[in-house]
Short mmCIF file of all heavy atoms in Angstrom, two decimals:
data_model
loop_
_atom_site.label_atom_id
_atom_site.label_comp_id
_atom_site.label_asym_id
_atom_site.label_seq_id
_atom_site.Cartn_x
_atom_site.Cartn_y
_atom_site.Cartn_z
N VAL J 262 -5.43 -3.48 -9.92
CA VAL J 262 -6.71 -4.19 -9.84
C VAL J 262 -6.47 -5.69 -9.99
O VAL J 262 -6.99 -6.51 -9.21
CB VAL J 262 -7.68 -3.70 -10.94
CG1 VAL J 262 -8.92 -4.58 -11.00
CG2 VAL J 262 -8.06 -2.25 -10.71
N ALA J 263 -5.66 -6.06 -10.96
CA ALA J 263 -5.49 -7.47 -11.29
C ALA J 263 -4.85 -8.25 -10.14
O ALA J 263 -5.35 -9.29 -9.72
CB ALA J 263 -4.63 -7.61 -12.54
N PHE J 264 -3.74 -7.73 -9.61
CA PHE J 264 -3.02 -8.48 -8.59
C PHE J 264 -3.80 -8.50 -7.28
O PHE J 264 -3.79 -9.49 -6.54
CB PHE J 264 -1.61 -7.90 -8.39
CG PHE J 264 -0.74 -8.00 -9.62
CD1 PHE J 264 0.43 -7.26 -9.75
CD2 PHE J 264 -1.08 -8.84 -10.68
CE1 PHE J 264 1.23 -7.35 -10.88
CE2 PHE J 264 -0.30 -8.95 -11.82
CZ PHE J 264 0.86 -8.20 -11.92
N THR J 265 -4.49 -7.40 -6.99
CA THR J 265 -5.31 -7.36 -5.77
C THR J 265 -6.41 -8.41 -5.83
O THR J 265 -6.63 -9.18 -4.88
CB THR J 265 -5.93 -5.97 -5.58
OG1 THR J 265 -4.90 -4.99 -5.63
CG2 THR J 265 -6.66 -5.87 -4.26
N LEU J 266 -7.10 -8.45 -6.95
CA LEU J 266 -8.21 -9.40 -7.04
C LEU J 266 -7.69 -10.83 -7.19
O LEU J 266 -8.33 -11.78 -6.72
CB LEU J 266 -9.15 -9.01 -8.19
CG LEU J 266 -9.87 -7.65 -8.04
CD1 LEU J 266 -11.03 -7.54 -9.03
CD2 LEU J 266 -10.37 -7.38 -6.65
N ALA J 267 -6.53 -11.00 -7.82
CA ALA J 267 -5.94 -12.36 -7.87
C ALA J 267 -5.61 -12.83 -6.46
O ALA J 267 -5.86 -14.00 -6.11
CB ALA J 267 -4.68 -12.35 -8.74
N ASN J 268 -5.07 -11.95 -5.65
CA ASN J 268 -4.82 -12.30 -4.24
C ASN J 268 -6.13 -12.63 -3.53
O ASN J 268 -6.21 -13.60 -2.78
CB ASN J 268 -4.11 -11.14 -3.52
CG ASN J 268 -2.65 -10.97 -3.97
OD1 ASN J 268 -2.09 -11.85 -4.61
ND2 ASN J 268 -2.05 -9.84 -3.63
N ALA J 269 -7.14 -11.80 -3.80
CA ALA J 269 -8.44 -12.00 -3.14
C ALA J 269 -9.01 -13.38 -3.49
O ALA J 269 -9.53 -14.09 -2.62
CB ALA J 269 -9.40 -10.90 -3.56
N VAL J 270 -8.90 -13.75 -4.76
CA VAL J 270 -9.39 -15.06 -5.18
C VAL J 270 -8.68 -16.16 -4.37
O VAL J 270 -9.30 -17.13 -3.91
CB VAL J 270 -9.17 -15.25 -6.70
CG1 VAL J 270 -9.37 -16.71 -7.11
CG2 VAL J 270 -10.09 -14.34 -7.50
N SER J 271 -7.37 -15.99 -4.15
CA SER J 271 -6.62 -17.00 -3.41
C SER J 271 -7.05 -17.08 -1.95
O SER J 271 -7.08 -18.17 -1.37
CB SER J 271 -5.12 -16.71 -3.48
OG SER J 271 -4.69 -16.84 -4.81
N TYR J 272 -7.38 -15.95 -1.35
CA TYR J 272 -7.88 -15.99 0.03
C TYR J 272 -9.22 -16.72 0.09
O TYR J 272 -9.46 -17.51 1.01
CB TYR J 272 -8.03 -14.57 0.59
CG TYR J 272 -6.72 -13.85 0.82
CD1 TYR J 272 -6.46 -12.61 0.24
CD2 TYR J 272 -5.73 -14.42 1.62
CE1 TYR J 272 -5.26 -11.96 0.45
CE2 TYR J 272 -4.52 -13.77 1.84
CZ TYR J 272 -4.29 -12.53 1.24
OH TYR J 272 -3.10 -11.90 1.45
N VAL J 273 -10.06 -16.45 -0.87
CA VAL J 273 -11.37 -17.11 -0.88
C VAL J 273 -11.18 -18.62 -1.03
O VAL J 273 -11.80 -19.42 -0.32
CB VAL J 273 -12.27 -16.55 -2.00
CG1 VAL J 273 -13.53 -17.39 -2.17
CG2 VAL J 273 -12.65 -15.10 -1.70
N ARG J 274 -10.29 -19.02 -1.94
CA ARG J 274 -10.05 -20.44 -2.14
C ARG J 274 -9.48 -21.08 -0.86
O ARG J 274 -9.88 -22.18 -0.48
CB ARG J 274 -9.05 -20.64 -3.29
CG ARG J 274 -9.60 -20.20 -4.62
CD ARG J 274 -9.60 -21.33 -5.65
NE ARG J 274 -10.52 -21.04 -6.73
CZ ARG J 274 -10.16 -20.40 -7.84
NH1 ARG J 274 -8.92 -20.02 -8.02
NH2 ARG J 274 -11.06 -20.16 -8.78
N ALA J 275 -8.53 -20.38 -0.21
CA ALA J 275 -7.91 -20.93 1.00
C ALA J 275 -8.95 -21.08 2.11
O ALA J 275 -8.96 -22.09 2.84
CB ALA J 275 -6.77 -20.04 1.47
N ALA J 276 -9.82 -20.10 2.25
CA ALA J 276 -10.83 -20.16 3.31
C ALA J 276 -11.84 -21.25 3.02
O ALA J 276 -12.29 -21.97 3.92
CB ALA J 276 -11.51 -18.80 3.46
N THR J 277 -12.21 -21.37 1.76
CA THR J 277 -13.16 -22.41 1.37
C THR J 277 -12.56 -23.79 1.63
O THR J 277 -13.24 -24.70 2.12
CB THR J 277 -13.54 -22.25 -0.12
OG1 THR J 277 -13.95 -20.90 -0.34
CG2 THR J 277 -14.68 -23.16 -0.50
N ALA J 278 -11.25 -23.93 1.32
CA ALA J 278 -10.57 -25.20 1.54
C ALA J 278 -10.52 -25.57 3.02
O ALA J 278 -10.47 -26.73 3.40
CB ALA J 278 -9.16 -25.15 0.96
N LYS J 279 -10.55 -24.53 3.87
CA LYS J 279 -10.54 -24.77 5.31
C LYS J 279 -11.93 -25.16 5.81
O LYS J 279 -12.10 -25.50 6.98
CB LYS J 279 -10.10 -23.44 5.97
CG LYS J 279 -9.69 -23.46 7.42
CD LYS J 279 -9.56 -22.00 7.86
CE LYS J 279 -9.05 -21.84 9.27
NZ LYS J 279 -7.59 -21.73 9.33
N GLY J 280 -12.91 -25.08 4.92
CA GLY J 280 -14.27 -25.47 5.29
C GLY J 280 -15.19 -24.30 5.62
O GLY J 280 -16.31 -24.49 6.08
N LEU J 281 -14.70 -23.06 5.39
CA LEU J 281 -15.54 -21.90 5.67
C LEU J 281 -16.46 -21.64 4.47
O LEU J 281 -16.13 -21.96 3.33
CB LEU J 281 -14.68 -20.66 5.96
CG LEU J 281 -13.60 -20.82 7.04
CD1 LEU J 281 -12.87 -19.50 7.27
CD2 LEU J 281 -14.22 -21.31 8.35
N ASP J 282 -17.60 -21.02 4.75
CA ASP J 282 -18.62 -20.78 3.74
C ASP J 282 -18.44 -19.37 3.15
O ASP J 282 -18.49 -18.38 3.87
CB ASP J 282 -20.00 -20.91 4.41
CG ASP J 282 -21.14 -20.62 3.45
OD1 ASP J 282 -20.89 -20.22 2.29
OD2 ASP J 282 -22.30 -20.79 3.87
N VAL J 283 -18.25 -19.33 1.83
CA VAL J 283 -17.98 -18.04 1.17
C VAL J 283 -19.12 -17.04 1.40
O VAL J 283 -18.90 -15.84 1.47
CB VAL J 283 -17.71 -18.25 -0.34
CG1 VAL J 283 -18.94 -18.75 -1.07
CG2 VAL J 283 -17.17 -16.98 -0.98
N ASN J 284 -20.32 -17.55 1.58
CA ASN J 284 -21.45 -16.64 1.82
C ASN J 284 -21.40 -16.01 3.21
O ASN J 284 -22.03 -15.00 3.47
CB ASN J 284 -22.77 -17.37 1.63
CG ASN J 284 -22.97 -17.72 0.18
OD1 ASN J 284 -22.78 -16.87 -0.70
ND2 ASN J 284 -23.32 -18.96 -0.09
N LYS J 285 -20.62 -16.64 4.09
CA LYS J 285 -20.51 -16.12 5.45
C LYS J 285 -19.28 -15.24 5.62
O LYS J 285 -19.35 -14.16 6.18
CB LYS J 285 -20.49 -17.26 6.46
CG LYS J 285 -21.84 -17.95 6.57
CD LYS J 285 -21.79 -19.12 7.51
CE LYS J 285 -23.21 -19.70 7.71
NZ LYS J 285 -23.15 -20.98 8.42
N PHE J 286 -18.11 -15.69 5.13
CA PHE J 286 -16.92 -14.84 5.31
C PHE J 286 -16.81 -13.79 4.21
O PHE J 286 -16.19 -12.75 4.40
CB PHE J 286 -15.63 -15.68 5.42
CG PHE J 286 -15.17 -16.34 4.15
CD1 PHE J 286 -14.48 -15.60 3.18
CD2 PHE J 286 -15.39 -17.68 3.91
CE1 PHE J 286 -14.04 -16.20 2.02
CE2 PHE J 286 -14.96 -18.30 2.74
CZ PHE J 286 -14.28 -17.55 1.78
N GLY J 287 -17.43 -14.07 3.06
CA GLY J 287 -17.32 -13.16 1.91
C GLY J 287 -17.72 -11.71 2.20
O GLY J 287 -17.01 -10.78 1.80
N PRO J 288 -18.84 -11.49 2.91
CA PRO J 288 -19.25 -10.10 3.17
C PRO J 288 -18.29 -9.32 4.06
O PRO J 288 -18.36 -8.10 4.11
CB PRO J 288 -20.61 -10.27 3.88
CG PRO J 288 -21.11 -11.61 3.45
CD PRO J 288 -19.88 -12.46 3.30
N ARG J 289 -17.38 -9.98 4.76
CA ARG J 289 -16.45 -9.26 5.64
C ARG J 289 -15.10 -9.01 4.99
O ARG J 289 -14.20 -8.45 5.62
CB ARG J 289 -16.24 -10.02 6.96
CG ARG J 289 -17.48 -10.23 7.82
CD ARG J 289 -18.42 -9.05 7.91
NE ARG J 289 -17.82 -7.79 8.29
CZ ARG J 289 -18.43 -6.61 8.26
NH1 ARG J 289 -19.68 -6.52 7.85
NH2 ARG J 289 -17.80 -5.52 8.62
N LEU J 290 -14.93 -9.40 3.73
CA LEU J 290 -13.70 -9.06 3.02
C LEU J 290 -13.78 -7.60 2.61
O LEU J 290 -14.81 -7.13 2.15
CB LEU J 290 -13.55 -9.92 1.77
CG LEU J 290 -13.62 -11.45 1.94
CD1 LEU J 290 -13.48 -12.12 0.57
CD2 LEU J 290 -12.54 -11.94 2.88
#
Side-chain angles (χ1 to χ4, degrees):
Chain J
V262 172
F264 297 164
T265 307
L266 297 195
N268 289 346
V270 167
S271 295
Y272 291 124
V273 170
R274 294 238 161 91
T277 308
K279 194 190 184 91
L281 307 183
D282 178 355
V283 66
N284 291 313
K285 290 177 174 169
F286 72 79
R289 298 319 308 170
L290 306 179

